Amino acid sequence: LTLKDNHVRRALSNSRSVFFKDATARTTDIARVMNIQAKDIVEYWVEPHPVDNLKVHLVSGFGNCGAQRDSKEQRKKGLTEASLPQRLIKGVEEIVANKRAEASKLGKKIKIAVIDFMGQLKNYKHIPGIDYFGYWWVDNRGTNELTDYDVYIAVGNPSANFGAMAAEFRTLTGKYANPANPTGEFKEYIQHSIDSEKLQFVGRPRAHLQPHKQKDVYLLGDYSQHLEYKLKQQFVGVKIEKLTAFDLTPDAATRSDRDTRKAIELAMRWERMGQKVTQEGLAQEMGCSQSWVSKIFKRLSPERGYKEVIKLFQSLNNLFFRKWNNSDNPMDGLSDEVRWIAETYFPVLVSDLINGDELASDLIEVVDIAR
């Protein structure tokens, strides 16, 4: 406890047992370990300090990024450009290069830290500009060694061996848990563990102790909505930016994601300019087969036909250029499909719209042409 509170002091002095837990431990988990009822535990929270100088970048498009990201055969042959480890390398390279360039323009020097699973750290050793290499469960918890750094990059979703977690879960709850196919309460148990490690990492900058210094944290790997909620709860004032691997650099995205985004952008542009959108035309422009474009259309709308998919492109145009219609709530009234496409493939644009930021100049030029 860092704030004086006589009520809390009296409560603690009259309690049978007192535990000082970190921000990620849950009373339910403590109760399971102690074999008591969670309702018998009274939890006190101390209001966190604001961290207006902290920005967390959530980067999707890399999957779960576990410790094992390629097969033994792939490791023997070397990393291919399309492999997950290589795509992560491209993403980390882009972040480091961009942040170094930004600092250089301002005449500043910055320090950058990267953490990943121990067996994966070798992939980043060749990247110039990284000042610290750490790994999960060691450098994301209980250390102040990274306090004076400026940029923090964490790769992957840190989860322990599912078999070990299943055994632990069964011991604590008496419930069956299948490590090969986590579901229900056991799945949530795993997700909480992953989110907790990430939250601990976001705390390493100690942003509240350095309000004058900008702190940027990048989390590469799929994330849960619960993580977003906990970030806002535990780091008051934090800015959250959602990105895709493609937003970092197209080289960090899968071929499927690259081509899907390219197809959407082309179709939207042709719609704005009054040009007919066809799968054949998109395939020719993208340099791929028509069947590949058909698969992209199917992915965007599994249950709909060609005409309905075209309407999705029209809706996306209406969304991203709706400020021309003076709409204050750009996400209101969207169908589930349009919302999913927008948030999945264009999270930066969605964020800009919600925050009321200006349209990019190249987009405005296209709109002017269409008008």
Side-chain angles (χ1 to χ4, degrees):
L1 297 173
T2 56
L3 299 178
K4 290 184 178 180
D5 190 320
N6 290 330
H7 172 69
V8 173
R9 287 181 176 180
R10 286 193 297 271
L12 292 176
S13 64
N14 292 323
S15 298
R16 179 178 300 177
S17 300
V18 177
F19 302 90
F20 292 92
K21 71 180 187 65
D22 63 34
T24 57
R26 299 180 298 184
T27 55
T28 52
D29 296 329
I30 295 174
R32 285 168 177 168
V33 172
M34 297 186 63
N35 195 28
I36 61 176
Q37 295 294 318
K39 63 181 178 63
D40 294 330
I41 299 177
V42 178
E43 184 177 21
Y44 286 94
W45 281 76
V46 177
E47 185 176 354
H49 298 280
V51 286
D52 299 329
N53 57 323
L54 176 64
K55 187 171 185 178
V56 177
H57 310 260
L58 300 174
V59 188
S60 62
F62 291 113
N64 287 326
C65 296
Q68 300 298 327
R69 297 171 191 165
D70 46 11
S71 65
K72 291 182 179 179
E73 183 179 351
Q74 287 175 323
R75 287 194 290 273
K76 288 180 180 178
K77 292 181 178 179
L79 300 178
T80 64
E81 289 298 314
S83 68
L84 175 57
Q86 188 62 39
R87 293 195 295 110
L88 286 166
I89 291 171
K90 295 293 185 181
V92 172
E93 284 178 337
E94 194 69 18
I95 295 171
V96 173
N98 286 341
K99 301 309 290 188
R100 290 286 180 193
E102 289 175 10
S104 179
K105 288 181 180 179
L106 298 174
K108 296 181 178 180
K109 292 184 178 180
I110 61 172
K111 298 175 72 175
I112 300 177
V114 173
I115 76 165
D116 198 341
F117 293 95
M118 184 185 296
Q120 299 290 338
L121 283 175
K122 62 182 183 297
N123 294 337
Y124 316 110
K125 295 289 186 179
H126 69 283
I127 302 176
I130 299 177
D131 303 289
Y132 185 92
F133 295 93
Y135 50 94
W136 288 112
W137 295 293
V138 174
D139 296 283
N140 67 301
R141 275 184 175 269
T143 176
N144 291 320
E145 191 170 352
L146 302 178
T147 303
D148 63 336
Y149 280 66
D150 306 273
V151 180
Y152 306 76
I153 305 171
V155 182
N157 284 334
S159 63
N161 178 274
F162 281 9
M165 293 193 74
E168 179 182 74
F169 181 80
R170 286 194 293 266
T171 301
L172 293 175
T173 66
K175 299 178 181 179
Y176 174 74
N178 182 2
N181 183 30
T183 58
E185 193 175 346
F186 177 52
K187 183 177 181 180
E188 190 274 334
Y189 184 76
I190 294 173
Q191 189 61 57
H192 172 74
S193 174
I194 294 172
D195 290 346
S196 296
E197 298 302 327
K198 290 185 176 183
L199 289 168
Q200 287 289 341
F201 180 69
V202 175
R204 291 314 98 213
R206 297 289 190 243
H208 65 287
L209 299 178
Q210 306 169 75
H212 61 286
K213 191 174 184 180
Q214 177 62 35
K215 301 283 187 173
D216 284 278
V217 178
Y218 289 82
L219 300 178
L220 277 60
D222 288 351
Y223 53 88
S224 66
Q225 290 185 341
H226 185 67
L227 177 63
E228 295 181 59
Y229 167 77
K230 295 300 289 186
L231 282 169
K232 294 175 182 178
Q233 180 190 53
Q234 296 185 15
F235 301 95
V236 177
V238 63
K239 300 176 184 65
I240 298 177
E241 180 184 42
K242 296 180 183 179
L243 301 167
T244 66
F246 186 96
D247 292 320
L248 295 179
T249 170
D251 291 337
T254 63
R255 182 204 170 191
S256 176
D257 285 347
R258 286 197 304 270
D259 286 354
T260 299
R261 182 151 168 169
K262 188 174 182 179
I264 295 172
E265 290 175 339
L266 277 172
M268 288 172 61
R269 184 178 299 118
W270 289 355
E271 276 289 320
R272 289 196 299 269
M273 301 181 71
Q275 183 175 340
K276 186 176 181 180
V277 178
T278 65
Q279 293 184 6
E280 182 181 1
L282 289 173
Q284 185 175 357
E285 184 72 20
M286 294 168 59
C288 63
S289 67
Q290 187 172 335
S291 63
W292 180 244
V293 176
S294 178
K295 288 181 180 179
I296 291 175
F297 275 40
K298 198 70 175 175
R299 186 183 307 117
L300 295 176
S301 184
E303 304 299 328
R304 300 192 183 201
Y306 167 77
K307 291 183 179 180
E308 295 300 320
V309 176
I310 297 302
K311 290 181 180 179
L312 294 180
F313 299 139
Q314 294 169 348
S315 297
L316 287 168
N317 272 327
N318 188 38
L319 167 66
F320 291 132
F321 300 101
R322 190 182 289 183
K323 64 165 52 185
W324 292 81
N325 298 327
N326 299 317
S327 173
D328 294 327
N329 301 296
M331 300 299 285
D332 285 354
L334 295 180
S335 69
D336 291 340
E337 285 177 312
V338 174
R339 180 183 288 271
W340 175 79
I341 294 172
E343 292 178 342
T344 300
Y345 293 100
F346 303 96
V348 177
L349 278 179
V350 170
S351 177
D352 289 346
L353 284 173
I354 293 174
N355 295 330
D357 295 337
E358 292 297 321
L359 285 170
S361 59
D362 58 334
L363 294 182
I364 293 176
E365 290 173 4
V366 173
V367 174
D368 287 337
I369 293 173
R371 296 175 75 193

